[in-house]
Amino acid sequence: MSTVRRPSVCPHDCPSVCALEVEVIDGERIGRVHGAAEQPYTAGVVCAKVARYAERIHSPNRLTQPLLRTGPRGSGQFSPISWDEALDRTAEGFLDAERKHGAESVWPYFYAGTMGLVMRDGLERLTHAKRYSRYFGDICVGISFPGWLAGAGVMRGVSFDEIEKADVVVIWGTNAVATQVNLMTHATRARKKRGAKIVAIDIYDTETMRQADLALKLRPGSDGALAVAVMHILFRDSLADRDYMAKYTDAPEALEAHVASRGPQWAADITGLSVEEVEAFAALVGRNKRTFFRLGYGFSRQRNGASNMHAALCIPAVTGAWAHEGGGALHASGAVYKLDRKLIEGLDVRDASVRRLHQSRVGAVLTGEREALAGGGPVKAMLIQNTNPMVVAPDQEKVRRGFSRDDLFSVVHEQFLTDTARMADIVLPATMFMEHDDLYTASAHQFLQLGPKLIEPPPGCRSNHELVCALAKRLGAEHRGFDMTSREIIDETLRVSGRGTLAELEAGRWLDCRPSFAQAHFLDGFGHKDGKFHFRADWANAPYSNNGLKGDWAAMPTLPDHWAVNEAAGGEFPFKLATSPARNFLNSSFNGTATSRAREARPTALLHPDDAARLGVEDGDIVRLGNGRGSVRLHAKLSSATRPCVIVSEGLWENRDFLDGRGVNTLTSDESVAPFGGAAFHDIRVWAKAEAAELAEAAE
Ligand SMILES: Nc1nc2c(c(=O)[nH]1)N[C@H]1C(S)=C(S)[C@@H](COP(=O)(O)OP(=O)(O)OC[C@H]3O[C@@H](n4cnc5c(=O)[nH]c(N)nc54)[C@H](O)[C@@H]3O)O[C@H]1N2
Ligand SMILES: Nc1nc2c(c(=O)[nH]1)N[C@H]1C(S)=C(S)[C@@H](COP(=O)(O)OP(=O)(O)OC[C@H]3O[C@@H](n4cnc5c(=O)[nH]c(N)nc54)[C@H](O)[C@@H]3O)O[C@H]1N2
Ligand code: SF4
Ligand SMILES: [Mo]
């Protein structure tokens, strides 16, 4: 047996995008997966679920043959068919929809199950070439990005290597230990080297909160209030940097006047934190210019999330932290790579007049809600790659009704028979990242990386790129990208972007795209035309890829504030529910992997002991959570990690793991969040009930 270590990149939807070293055994199988020690962000560390990737890639449950549905949707009854037959049937289904209902009745639907640019975004080329309904991927960053951009004007920030030069690291609304473990490596270095303090801000005691020096456990959706009160204290205590603000920000006087009436007591009432906690946080960030704000995604998954992101981002502009090494903020890094995406996405043949449908509103789209269909006709055919909407999309009752439609032709390209694949007419087996070549950018760091093909896929699996090209031929879609290999596309994309060549990237493994100090700290100006940081958010014109999509931005606060638009708990719905990530899953990926399942045990509702006592629920009992959208049944876990009246359910399990086959997104809303869309996954009001013992026993 010969084992060699080969370079790779983790393709999963995670900010870390780790550089990997994979043990390849006899050129055929993989062994352990390690983090690359020399890649400065990864620094040799990967999460446990990817370290044991052999379990996923060599799983006996992998799809390896195209399947044609023979039983009812969702039944899991399929017969194997050949690739030729599968492609012919798929093409015929799409051509038929186009003939009868127009090209916009076909909606290609994809997300970031792989973050590789060719495999993830290549489907766009087919969409544009065929003038199919366009796609607006708002499920993850649809709320947070406009919030950041309203302030900073461009999607980049201070690079990760300055975290270890900070005196305070604020981990805001991200459970980094679970969702981006490498952040902890760098925060811990700051603590060891400089005695830096780590602050975590969340709604329950996560592992990240437990590792923090100051853990602020606030009410869901109240981060804007905390940020505003912090700014109030900074002005009050002369900790605001007036020279910095005069030079680099748009409206410091207006901000000062605005926050003057919003002090620590005001914030304590809204957030549920004590005045002392608010004061302590403000003093820490005010007295330490080298404060690094790592602003996560989680706190933006609220109806007021964009506004809260903007409010948090205003703090370093008040303290002037941006001007200092180790100071400033980071949310994502998309703008540093400057890649020309024309070839990959077929932007040269895009017709901007074709309607664009929101990813998060898939249920509303498929059930024919007029406004979700953007004024057009129904969607009749879908090709789905790298996403599992039957689990991850909000308002599952709608999603389920939509995918159950007899007149919907759906084709799912997948690695496993997911809940979404079970609903499909045709299921196509996909390769995994070590079985194809792709190019990766990241949000937590600024390296452009190549993940080369390391082993052959199981016979029968084809990559996303291969599928898109084969379908294009049958659909009469024209674009030069359909005649190129993935490697050729990567090479040309690098060359036209001024990022070297494929051969160079392969030799070097990653390309360092970190901006200069002045750029990273916006000392040469923020992203807005006036070069200033904007305390006044111009929501309608946040420089976001919304391309004319309009949302409910008019009602949003301009200066940072607490925007009270969230689902309010009380009365019939006494609890707020958040659906936070599970450490051993990645969204719904790994929810079928044995070790991950064993570690996560089963779907649970974390319930505060006081609430449990009132409900008559004991640890391990079955509870039902519900609201106007539906209800789910799962086991209660008593824990004072949550605040009273706040319930947390971790992880995106398979639907059948729930006691009545309905997953947690049954409870979430698909209402489009301001300013441009996205889903408020952690902003849900529910009732909770103990299930009668006999019912519970019947379910076991
Ligand atoms: N293990 C694991 N890793 C993952 C994922 C996973 O599912 N599992 N998902 C991946 C993906 S797609 C993404 S986008 C990232 C997301 O990673 P994060 O940025 O960490 O975002 P979330 O996972 O949505 O939530 C993070 C935390 O925000 C908290 N939170 C909810 N509401 C609020 C609020 O109002 N205020 C504050 N301060 N906190 C709140 C949640 O309880 C949770 O602990 O992680 C990626 N990495
Ligand atoms: N309740 C609740 N819901 C949420 C969230 C939450 O915090 N709470 N988080 C939301 C967020 S942030 C996100 S990003 C979404 C993510 O939701 P999804 O994008 O659906 O992410 P995954 O569940 O990981 O599903 C990705 C699928 O892609 C498949 N896949 C991976 N690589 C490839 C490939 O190369 N080719 C093909 N054809 N398939 C591939 C995997 O097998 C997997 O089934 O979920 C959202 N849903
Ligand atoms: S899932 Fe995230 S932390 Fe785990 S290996 Fe992939 S990029 Fe790294
Ligand atoms: Mo995400």
Side-chain angles (χ1 to χ4, degrees), residues 13 140 301 587:
D13 190 357
C140 179
R301 307 196 198 293
N587 303 321

Side-chain angles (χ1 to χ4, degrees), residues 290-531:
R290 291 168 172 249
T291 296
F292 192 106
F293 290 81
R294 183 65 174 98
L295 303 178
Y297 299 84
F299 80 107
S300 78
R301 307 196 198 293
Q302 302 277 343
R303 283 171 182 71
N304 60 4
S307 179
N308 291 349
M309 171 62 80
H310 173 250
L313 182 59
C314 287
I315 299 175
V318 172
T319 62
W322 285 110
H324 300 264
E325 191 179 40
L330 177 68
H331 178 53
S333 305
V336 306
Y337 296 101
K338 300 191 174 68
L339 289 179
D340 182 333
R341 291 159 175 263
K342 206 184 307 121
L343 177 60
I344 291 176
E345 298 177 23
L347 298 178
D348 46 342
V349 296
R350 178 176 58 180
D351 177 352
S353 71
V354 175
R355 71 171 171 187
R356 208 158 170 223
L357 305 177
H358 285 245
Q359 172 189 23
S360 298
R361 306 225 64 215
V362 59
V365 167
L366 293 182
T367 53
E369 285 183 27
R370 268 182 59 82
E371 156 261 346
L373 286 168
V379 165
K380 293 283 189 180
M382 289 178 86
L383 171 59
I384 299 175
Q385 287 185 320
N386 334 316
T387 182
N388 187 9
M390 276 289 294
V391 172
V392 308
D395 204 341
Q396 281 289 308
E397 288 301 328
K398 263 194 229 174
V399 177
R400 185 183 297 260
R401 257 190 289 134
F403 278 110
S404 303
R405 267 173 43 196
D406 279 337
D407 66 332
L408 176 74
F409 176 67
S410 61
V411 177
V412 174
H413 189 203
E414 249 301 344
Q415 297 161 342
F416 294 97
L417 196 63
T418 58
D419 284 293
T420 307
R422 284 170 186 275
M423 300 299 277
D425 294 286
I426 292 176
V427 179
L428 301 168
T431 49
M432 287 192 189
F433 71 104
M434 297 173 202
E435 300 159 352
H436 57 238
D437 298 287
D438 217 334
L439 179 65
Y440 299 86
T441 58
S443 59
H445 62 73
Q446 298 83 16
F447 297 100
L448 183 62
Q449 307 182 97
L450 182 79
K453 175 172 171 174
L454 303 181
I455 56 173
E456 287 302 322
C461 293
R462 295 196 188 174
S463 74
N464 290 15
H465 179 63
E466 288 171 293
L467 172 61
V468 165
C469 295
L471 276 180
K473 294 274 166 313
R474 283 171 167 80
L475 294 166
E478 285 175 17
H479 193 283
R480 47 193 290 271
F482 298 134
D483 298 313
M484 298 170 78
T485 63
S486 178
R487 292 180 74 87
E488 286 166 348
I489 291 178
I490 295 169
D491 188 50
E492 184 172 320
T493 297
L494 291 171
R495 285 173 194 270
V496 298
S497 308
R499 292 296 191 188
T501 65
L502 170 62
E504 285 163 13
L505 186 59
E506 193 147 37
R509 290 189 57 185
W510 48 77
L511 188 70
D512 189 346
C513 300
R514 275 178 282 191
S516 68
F517 183 87
Q519 261 202 326
H521 290 258
F522 299 111
L523 300 179
D524 52 1
F526 284 87
H528 297 291
K529 283 198 192 77
D530 61 4

